[in-house]
Amino acid sequence: MTQIEHWIGGTAVAATGGAYFDDLNPVDDSVYSRVPAGTAEDVNRAVENAHQAYLQHRDLPAAVREGWIAKAAEIMERDTAKFADVLVDEIGSPIAKAGFETRFAVSFLRAAIGVPRRIRGETIPSDTPGRFSMSLRQPVGVVAGITPFNVPLIKGIKQSAMALATGNAFVLLPSEAAPMIADLLAKLWKEAGVPDGLFNVVYGNGAEIGDVLTGHPKVASITFTGSSRVGKHIAGIAARNLKKYTLELGGKSPLVICADADLDKAVNAALFSIFMYQGQVCMGASRIYVERSIFDQFAKAFAAATGRAKRGDLRDPTTMLGPIISERQRDRVRRHIDDARSKGAELLAGAEWNGNVCSATVLRGVTAEMTVFEEETFGPVTSLFPFDTLEEALELANNTEYGLSASIFTRDLDKALAFAQRAEAGMVHINAPTLHDEPHVPFGGTKASGFGREGTEADLEIMTEWKWVTIQSATEGGH
């Protein structure tokens, strides 16, 4: 068991209150590490350190910031096994998913290397004779990041790399279930040469100290990944204090399968879309709509294929399903399944538990009276529904408060593009799973699934501020 501390001003700092909490391995709920329970004082100290570091280093050349990120990419590539081990043991990631996270982190860092040189403004024609007009992008100051348990490395790298690349300081509040990844990130940025105070981590209960961080007067921008309920709360804080913010929230993502689809590819994509990392993914395809003429055929093939969603040794590359992160979340998964079955849903596969691991679960006959119909389960549970026309499929797919990701399988390009244009989702994939991300894309959702976008281009909107500058010629008029 390891004990970690806050990371403030470039060094490990004990919690001011002296309290610690246990970080549990979800496989058996054994104690994996002891973590400081942060207080408002800890948050204030981290933000003040970040602000002072920002003032000291905000004018560093782009080449310096580029160098940090390039070095971080080298370190991450060198230490992928170390990061993967923590992802396996701390959050129950099967090794294949942990490998995806580490590879994505390296890829994102490499994409972010060029960001410091792409923070550009423009010259602007002026109506005033002799006036030279231009725009600049400048860093906002201190960026606060709050990351989830399910992809803590991806989100931690995304948020911190972009904050540092754009000349800001960063304060991270990670999920209570994934603190060790944050500790590794602090050490990564330290080794990469980031000056003390530009990257800080405070651990603790988000419900107790999250508002202190997001509402701090010296925090200029917020980037949050988590539940829609908490996201709406943070949006309120940001609005009241006129802060920039990006929210990446929950989902109830639809996957639509038309009669002309390649059935084998659709089955495999559906498996990956909902059962990767035991369904604890915001883009998970928890609603699968199948054209009625092939509905029974798909349902039979998909239910049979759930056996390929293997449970077992998390370090076996063929394992897809690991433990549900906490007892609270396991109760939620059980409750959703039991409620649906008690109200008449048919169980086609799954609903079997082995310790903290739930098998791949497929339901049909789900109706609006069932909790699983509307709520995000965040587990290995999906529901199958028939449809007759593309219009009906679109209506069903859009009948949700969420709008993160959507997917359609069809050989008809016109049909696919019509779906892509009209689906109420921030991301639409054609003949591919609902799960996908790349460093440079505008990643994010609509409606209750989020606000704003993430990515090496999109993040410039919350990480920098526009400034208009004019120069009046001394030899010409103007006022």
Side-chain angles (χ1 to χ4, degrees):
M1 183 183 68
T2 302
Q3 179 169 306
I4 61 176
E5 307 292 354
H6 301 310
W7 189 265
I8 300 174
T11 189
V13 176
T16 54
Y20 288 78
F21 65 90
D22 292 335
D23 172 29
L24 304 182
N25 182 329
V27 169
D28 56 8
D29 293 328
S30 60
V31 178
Y32 181 63
S33 66
R34 295 190 71 243
V35 186
T39 64
E41 184 178 346
D42 296 323
V43 173
N44 288 330
R45 182 175 178 182
V47 174
E48 291 294 340
N49 268 268
H51 181 66
Q52 290 303 313
Y54 161 71
L55 294 177
Q56 182 179 353
H57 300 291
R58 62 183 173 183
D59 295 323
L60 286 173
V64 174
R65 287 179 272 127
E66 175 185 82
W68 303 336
I69 300 167
K71 182 63 176 177
E74 293 177 11
I75 298 167
M76 177 65 69
E77 193 163 39
R78 181 196 73 194
D79 292 345
T80 52
K82 181 194 298 184
F83 279 89
D85 277 341
V86 174
L87 290 168
V88 171
D89 294 331
E90 181 170 57
I91 64 167
S93 283
I95 193 65
K97 182 262 187 184
F100 167 77
E101 274 210 65
T102 56
R103 289 190 301 274
F104 186 95
V106 172
S107 179
F108 192 93
L109 287 167
R110 287 176 175 159
I113 290 171
V115 168
R117 296 183 187 271
R118 296 201 304 271
I119 305 173
R120 303 187 182 118
E122 59 184 358
T123 58
I124 307 169
S126 175
D127 290 339
T128 303
R131 177 164 292 186
F132 181 81
S133 176
M134 60 183 172
S135 62
L136 310 174
R137 277 191 181 272
Q138 294 186 319
V140 295
V142 178
V143 177
I146 301 178
T147 51
F149 78 85
N150 60 336
V151 281
L153 179 56
I154 287 176
K155 293 298 184 178
I157 284 290
K158 271 189 172 186
Q159 294 180 2
S160 62
M162 284 302 297
L164 296 172
T166 49
N168 297 289
F170 188 71
V171 180
L172 173 62
L173 175 60
S175 165
E176 302 98 299
M180 285 289 286
I181 285 293
D183 186 64
L184 290 180
L185 283 177
K187 294 168 182 174
L188 178 144
W189 287 121
K190 176 79 169 182
E191 185 179 348
V194 171
D196 293 346
L198 287 184
F199 180 88
N200 306 271
V201 185
V202 177
Y203 304 99
N205 187 328
E208 296 175 359
I209 63 173
D211 288 5
V212 181
L213 176 60
T214 56
H216 197 288
K218 289 181 179 175
V219 167
S221 183
I222 305 162
T223 174
F224 169 80
T225 301
S227 72
S228 298
R229 178 182 59 81
V230 176
K232 291 175 182 178
H233 175 74
I234 290 173
I237 293 173
R240 287 192 297 274
N241 294 279
L242 300 180
K243 300 176 188 286
K244 290 172 171 268
Y245 64 98
T246 293
L247 308 174
E248 202 269 282
L249 310 175
K252 194 74 177 168
S253 298
L255 190 158
V256 173
I257 302 168
C258 299
D260 64 348
D262 184 314
L263 195 63
D264 289 339
K265 289 182 179 179
V267 166
N268 289 332
L271 281 174
F272 179 77
S273 294
I274 186 58
F275 300 132
M276 198 275 280
Y277 189 47
Q278 46 274 19
Q280 296 176 134
V281 183
C282 53
M283 295 174 282
S286 53
R287 299 180 295 145
I288 301 177
Y289 299 100
V290 186
E291 196 160 352
R292 195 177 302 275
S293 62
I294 63 164
F295 182 84
D296 290 337
Q297 181 185 1
F298 175 86
K300 182 178 179 180
F302 184 56
T306 58
R308 296 204 296 272
K310 181 181 175 182
R311 294 181 288 177
D313 180 4
L314 292 178
R315 286 181 166 80
D316 180 342
T318 64
T319 296
M320 180 177 281
L321 297 171
I324 303 299
I325 191 67
S326 66
E327 190 56 36
R328 177 182 177 183
Q329 183 57 26
R330 291 163 211 149
D331 288 342
R332 180 182 180 89
V333 174
R334 291 188 186 97
R335 187 172 68 254
H336 280 205
I337 295 171
D338 292 345
D339 174 76
R341 297 182 70 182
S342 70
K343 293 175 181 176
E346 180 184 355
L347 180 68
L348 299 183
E352 298 174 351
W353 289 80
N354 181 8
N356 294 337
V357 182
C358 180
S359 60
T361 302
V362 183
L363 301 168
R364 69 183 289 179
V366 170
T367 61
E369 294 75 26
M370 303 172 190
T371 304
V372 75
F373 183 86
E374 291 185 347
E375 291 189 17
E376 184 180 28
T377 304
F378 223 62
V381 182
T382 191
S383 305
L384 306 186
F385 304 88
F387 72 88
D388 292 304
T389 66
L390 182 63
E391 288 293 327
E392 183 185 6
L394 274 162
E395 183 178 349
L396 292 168
N398 292 337
N399 183 28
T400 175
E401 66 173 328
Y402 297 105
L404 187 55
S405 183
S407 173
I408 184 170
F409 273 77
T410 177
R411 290 183 171 92
D412 186 330
L413 183 59
D414 289 341
K415 188 183 295 184
L417 291 177
F419 179 85
Q421 289 177 324
R422 296 169 58 193
E424 295 172 357
M427 302 171 286
V428 180
H429 304 292
I430 297 170
N431 294 325
T434 56
L435 306 185
H436 192 56
D437 192 6
E438 294 183 27
H440 56 292
V441 304
F443 183 95
T446 62
K447 300 192 287 188
S449 286
F451 183 88
R453 295 293 184 269
E454 300 175 347
T456 54
E457 299 297 329
D459 273 327
L460 293 178
E461 292 304 313
I462 68 158
M463 302 289 184
T464 63
E465 289 274 18
W466 283 110
K467 179 176 284 187
W468 181 36
V469 177
T470 70
I471 305 171
Q472 180 64 49
S473 169
T475 61
E476 296 195 43
H479 57 275

